[in-house]
Amino acid sequence: MRWFFLVSVAAVVWLLRALPGFVLADAGASALVAFGLLTIGGELAGEVAARLRVPRITGYLVLGMAFGPFVLGLVSAPDLDSLRVFEELALGLIALTAGGELQLASLRKRWKLIVGITASHAVGIFLGAAGLFWLILRVFPFLGPLGPAEMAGAATLIGIITVAKSPATTIAVITELKATGSLVDTVLGITVLKDLVILIFFTWVNGIVHGWLGGPGDVSGGVTSLAATVGLSLLAGGGLGLLLGTYLSKIGLHPEITVLAVVLLSLEIAHGSGLEHLLISMAAGFAARNLFPASATGFLRALERSSPPIYVIFFGLIGAGLDIRVFATAWLAVLILFAVRLGLVWGVTGAMARALRADPPIRRWAWMGFVAQAGLSLGLAARVAREFPNFGGALAAVVVGAVVVNQVAGPILWRHALVASGEAG
Amino acid sequence: MLKGTLAFVLLLILALAGADLKRRWSRGRRRLPGFEGFVTVLVGALLGNAGLGLFPADLTAALRPVVLLGLAWIGLLVGLQFDVRLLRWIQPWQRWMGFLVPFGAGSIAGGAALAVGCGLHGSILLAAVAMISSPRLIGVFLRSGPPADRSAMRLIRLVTALASTPALIVYGVGMTLMVPAGGPLGRAAESVVGAGLAVVLGYATIILLRREHEEIHVLALLLGIVALLAGAATMIRTEPMLTAAIAGAIISNRGHLAHRALRAAHAIETPMLTAILVLLGAWWLPRVPSLAVCAVLVGIRGAAMVAGGGAMAAVARGHGVRLRTRLLGMGLLPQGPLALALLVGGAVAGGVDAAFAGGIFTALVINHAIGGAWMHGVLFRRATRSGGRHA
């Protein structure tokens, strides 16, 4: 009955969109309809997902894909643009929660493991993927005919995008399952650190590839500027966290709206000065939690409890933005990329965890927390498409396809890992 | 100058914090509580277009979806509180008087507004605003002790509880009719589709809420439903507040889980209301409030309410109710934030200028002061003394 209702409403919305004169009349109203559809549909899809023992966010994503502009078209591309602020807001809240989850004491205990696995990903997965794809492109030229330098450049860029993962997805599954333990702490720590590393690393590799292909390849300048961006983002986030913690401990009025303001402030700082919104919010959560543990902890717990509507809209919008039409043309390349990445993540994480004598759950299950890919990978793919017109478009399409598969498989695997390791609440 | 979304949230925090501080400050100092929403609008006005001009001039336009959602949320709340079973319990004369007194006073005020040149759009809006009476003051006074005239208090409460229904109907139908023709379906078909959508989504909410037990999921579903209603109603050029109210009334009267919806709706009522009121303040330009609008809403509405209250007192006496005062209409003067919400809706729909809005706002504050003073001095006179001793 509930699904019958959703299908009926979707049909009505489809009819409204089909009739000329409705959609264009009011963009704000159209965005509200899209918001409503994604929220209601996401809630129902999340329930089905929970019954199937997969994470709710997989339901939100699949529903978003179905309603998005590339399948049913109930949520249009202009709607996605109008709702972008919700996506960024949700990302900020998720990052704030993630930062709040990181405790200094726990990080001190595990820093070797966190740094070790992050470094192994940055080097091992990157080199493995780049090398393998350099070979694959010779046998199976899915990006079209490329010269040796272009082939090396494309393989290197695939390598770096393969390292990227989705912090939001990892955190969402942890929050949904109310998971705690050594596996959670380690994967969260790596998630945050990897986010810092990947941005610098991509800029560095991007500069090198530009150099190979005869473009502007100012590697050191780009990396220095990005390192400064990361440093300033962390500093700005720390300041915001200090502000938030002080407010929560001294005044404490309307904390939910205060946090919303902190996230928006982070968004405005990021937009205005080119800093990283995700990093600012994460640092703010981290600073608030570790500098003002008494007042921030309870509040962050409350934020987690009220997270379902945030996740519904965030992952619904992510799903709606994924172009799954790429499977029709490049399904084999997509599956190869997915399989190579999965194998490398499993092998490299497991090897490093064993080398550093990590706890058994980390050795066995941690890799599953690094499978999901979303916004960061899509952003990198879009940059590649823009900056490398020869092969960037085709490469971005394959990456988007792989992100779709990773984003569906990642949360399911991560949920399995948390349940199997006994850390799910 | 700050960007729209951030500016809006900062305004929201300032307004909420301001209201809280004012509440703390006034606790124990004054018996008559301040006009609800006054601080919110004032903060918006001080920092917005009328004051320091810190925020973008097109703030209201940029945040139109938020305003539409907020208005629809208020509409849903009004609808959820409309319970036919409760109406059946009261006597028919009470039911009739409860609807007729505010409707009559509002109609007279609307007619007067038309006569003084407010235009059809402004007059309909003013009529709807004039029908609203707030039950909040009685609730506040009751907490300090019993009233001097319990029967009068009950009748006033009855009217204030019912007044929002005619107000919302007049506002919704009026605003829908004021939208210029030219939609793809035609005016009549659009109204029918709008009402049909509200009924379908109302029933759908009942079905959706059946299996939801966690409040946060109920809230998410309601948020989705209200967004869908607000967006779809605006797309088919009907009034989102009325559409949401119809859906709310369906949920309240056809489902057994209305309390869940009501609890979830109340959970974010304050932020929603504050959001739209603070935008009203920020949008308002420094113009001298319209004296004519203020005079109509204070003088004409006041006289009509007092006359209506007198008639109600006479009918009540005819039915054997013992009343100590005939001036029941004085208790109907105070108006709550719903009146301000209608003003925001009118401003979003267009055709309301800053002078008109300023006139309505000033009148609401005056009505609150006059009605509140009467309640404090007459209706709760003895209670205040005994309440003071008790305290």
Side-chain angles (χ1 to χ4, degrees):
Chain A
M1 192 66 180
R2 288 151 69 95
W3 281 95
F4 171 73
F5 151 70
L6 185 66
V7 171
S8 314
V9 171
V12 170
V13 173
W14 181 81
L15 209 66
L16 282 178
R17 293 208 186 285
L19 279 172
F22 275 134
V23 180
L24 295 175
D26 198 322
S30 177
L32 270 179
V33 169
F35 180 91
L37 271 181
L38 286 176
T39 312
I40 301 165
E43 275 288 333
L44 296 187
E47 209 178 275
V48 172
R51 242 181 279 156
L52 294 173
R53 295 181 184 276
V54 292
R56 278 176 173 266
I57 63 161
T58 307
Y60 308 155
L61 275 165
V62 172
L63 193 281
M65 282 183 215
F67 279 4
F70 306 111
V71 184
L72 293 175
L74 294 171
V75 177
S76 66
D79 291 340
L80 288 179
D81 280 340
S82 301
L83 295 171
R84 193 69 61 205
V85 66
F86 284 103
E87 196 182 319
E88 293 193 329
L89 206 65
L91 184 65
L93 287 170
I94 293 168
L96 196 82
T97 314
E101 289 292 338
L102 291 173
Q103 291 181 59
L104 214 52
S106 168
L107 287 181
R108 272 196 206 119
K109 225 190 294 177
R110 299 175 208 287
W111 73 270
K112 273 187 194 165
L113 199 59
I114 290 169
V115 172
I117 294 181
T118 307
S120 74
H121 279 200
V123 179
I125 295 180
F126 165 63
L127 288 179
L132 277 171
F133 271 93
W134 185 69
L135 293 172
I136 290 168
L137 280 171
R138 286 168 172 270
V139 186
F140 174 41
F142 61 86
L143 298 179
L146 300 176
E150 283 178 330
M151 205 178 281
T156 311
L157 289 168
I158 290 178
I160 193 70
I161 294 174
T162 304
V163 182
K165 70 175 291 298
S166 164
T169 309
T170 308
I171 294 151
V173 178
I174 292 172
T175 310
E176 185 187 323
L177 296 181
K178 299 178 178 73
T180 48
S182 63
L183 177 64
V184 168
D185 287 348
T186 309
V187 172
L188 258 182
I190 296 167
T191 298
V192 175
L193 188 61
K194 210 167 153 182
D195 208 57
L196 307 180
V197 171
I198 194 82
L199 285 169
I200 300 174
F201 204 42
F202 178 80
T203 307
W204 180 55
V205 171
N206 198 37
I208 290 175
V209 174
H210 268 300
W212 288 346
L213 301 179
D218 181 15
V219 177
S220 61
V223 171
T224 313
S225 124
L226 203 74
T229 303
V230 168
L232 285 174
S233 302
L234 294 177
L235 210 63
L240 275 182
L242 198 68
L243 215 66
L244 175 66
T246 311
Y247 179 85
L248 289 175
S249 60
K250 301 281 180 204
I251 303 170
L253 288 173
H254 305 288
E256 301 86 358
I257 296 170
T258 310
V259 164
L260 202 62
V262 166
V263 172
L264 278 171
L265 206 56
S266 151
L267 201 58
E268 293 291 339
I269 293 170
H271 283 182
S273 57
L275 299 183
E276 277 296 318
H277 171 47
L278 192 77
L279 293 184
I280 300 175
S281 299
M282 263 185 195
F286 180 74
R289 170 69 184 265
N290 289 287
L291 293 175
F292 301 88
S295 46
T297 308
F299 167 67
L300 285 164
R301 289 275 165 272
L303 191 68
E304 276 172 28
R305 276 198 300 276
S306 59
S307 59
I310 299 169
Y311 290 151
V312 169
I313 196 66
F314 177 73
F315 287 102
L317 287 171
I318 293 259
L322 291 175
D323 186 356
I324 59 171
R325 290 173 306 180
V326 69
F327 286 105
T329 52
W331 62 273
L332 188 58
V334 166
L335 288 183
I336 290 172
L337 180 55
F338 169 68
V340 167
R341 183 173 181 273
L342 199 68
L344 283 169
V345 168
W346 170 72
V348 171
T349 311
M352 186 48 91
R354 269 189 293 278
L356 293 172
R357 292 179 188 163
D359 299 338
I362 297 170
R363 284 190 224 169
R364 195 162 174 201
W365 306 112
W367 69 275
M368 291 184 178
F370 307 119
V371 175
Q373 282 189 302
L376 185 59
S377 315
L378 293 175
L380 298 181
R383 223 174 122 180
V384 168
R386 209 170 42 243
E387 293 183 19
F388 301 95
N390 280 358
F391 60 83
L395 194 151
V398 174
V399 168
V400 169
V403 167
V404 173
V405 183
N406 283 322
Q407 190 59 0
V408 173
I412 297 172
L413 286 170
W414 183 219
R415 184 189 187 278
H416 174 71
L418 290 174
V419 172
S421 64
E423 294 196 1
Chain B
M1 187 161 296
L2 296 166
K3 284 206 177 153
T5 41
L6 176 62
F8 166 63
V9 173
L10 286 180
L11 272 175
L12 201 57
I13 292 174
L14 282 169
L16 284 167
D20 267 345
L21 291 173
K22 189 186 145 290
R23 211 172 295 135
R24 284 182 191 187
W25 172 77
S26 62
R27 197 174 291 157
R29 290 179 195 227
R30 282 160 48 186
R31 290 202 172 272
L32 176 62
F35 177 58
E36 203 178 357
F38 180 76
V39 175
T40 315
V41 177
L42 206 65
V43 167
L46 284 175
L47 301 178
N49 295 337
L52 299 174
L54 284 180
F55 304 118
D58 60 346
L59 188 64
T60 323
L63 292 165
R64 193 160 174 269
V66 176
V67 177
L68 290 175
L69 186 69
L71 288 173
W73 197 266
I74 307 289
L76 180 86
L77 260 168
V78 172
L80 282 172
Q81 287 163 3
F82 182 79
D83 193 337
V84 175
R85 282 159 292 195
L86 290 177
L87 272 182
R88 284 196 195 120
W89 288 345
I90 58 176
Q91 292 180 32
W93 70 268
Q94 289 177 322
R95 211 180 300 153
W96 280 107
M97 293 310 287
F99 284 119
L100 278 177
V101 170
F103 182 77
S107 304
I108 291 167
L114 201 61
V116 298
C118 288
L120 194 56
H121 185 281
S123 301
I124 292 173
L125 180 61
L126 197 138
V129 169
M131 287 176 199
I132 291 170
S133 291
S134 170
R136 186 175 163 267
L137 269 186
I138 289 188
V140 171
F141 282 127
L142 268 178
R143 265 177 246 142
S144 63
D149 188 343
R150 192 177 290 273
S151 302
M153 186 274 293
R154 279 188 185 150
L155 283 176
I156 293 170
R157 275 193 111 172
L158 178 82
V159 179
T160 55
L162 298 179
S164 54
T165 306
L168 210 59
I169 291 171
V170 166
Y171 166 81
V173 173
M175 291 297 133
T176 304
L177 292 176
M178 290 311 293
V179 176
L185 289 182
R187 167 65 47 238
E190 281 170 1
S191 303
V192 171
V193 171
L197 195 74
V199 173
V200 169
L201 284 178
Y203 278 108
T205 311
I206 296 168
I207 296 165
L208 285 173
L209 293 187
R210 263 183 208 157
R211 282 206 218 144
E212 287 300 347
H213 299 293
E214 283 184 59
E215 193 170 325
I216 192 69
H217 289 293
V218 173
L219 186 65
L221 279 173
L222 272 187
L223 209 59
I225 291 278
V226 174
L228 200 59
L229 269 169
T234 312
M235 274 167 81
I236 53 176
R237 297 142 44 85
T238 52
E239 177 48 50
M241 213 168 168
L242 181 63
T243 314
I246 294 171
I250 299 279
I251 299 167
S252 173
N253 293 286
R254 287 285 166 201
H256 302 289
L257 307 166
H259 60 283
R260 265 193 224 164
L262 195 59
R263 201 168 49 221
H266 271 307
I268 54 168
E269 180 194 0
T270 307
M272 283 283 184
L273 193 63
T274 310
I276 57 172
L277 294 188
V278 82
L279 280 172
L280 175 72
W283 161 82
W284 188 66
L285 288 163
R287 298 270 183 284
V288 177
S290 165
L291 204 63
V293 169
C294 190
V296 168
L297 206 50
V298 175
I300 309 285
R301 174 184 179 269
M305 280 293 188
V306 170
M312 187 163 67
V315 174
R317 284 200 174 111
H319 283 86
V321 179
R322 293 172 65 185
L323 291 167
R324 290 183 195 174
T325 175
R326 281 173 186 272
L327 289 172
L328 292 182
M330 292 297 285
L332 301 176
L333 292 185
Q335 297 184 274
L338 181 60
L340 284 173
L342 291 190
L343 179 58
V344 176
V348 169
V352 171
D353 61 10
F356 184 92
I360 288 193
F361 184 68
T362 312
L364 294 180
V365 175
I366 295 172
N367 282 339
H368 177 85
I370 298 172
W374 179 81
M375 276 189 196
H376 184 227
V378 179
L379 196 60
F380 284 88
R381 186 179 47 206
R382 291 179 194 170
T384 306
R385 285 177 195 153
S386 62
R389 278 200 300 275
H390 181 70

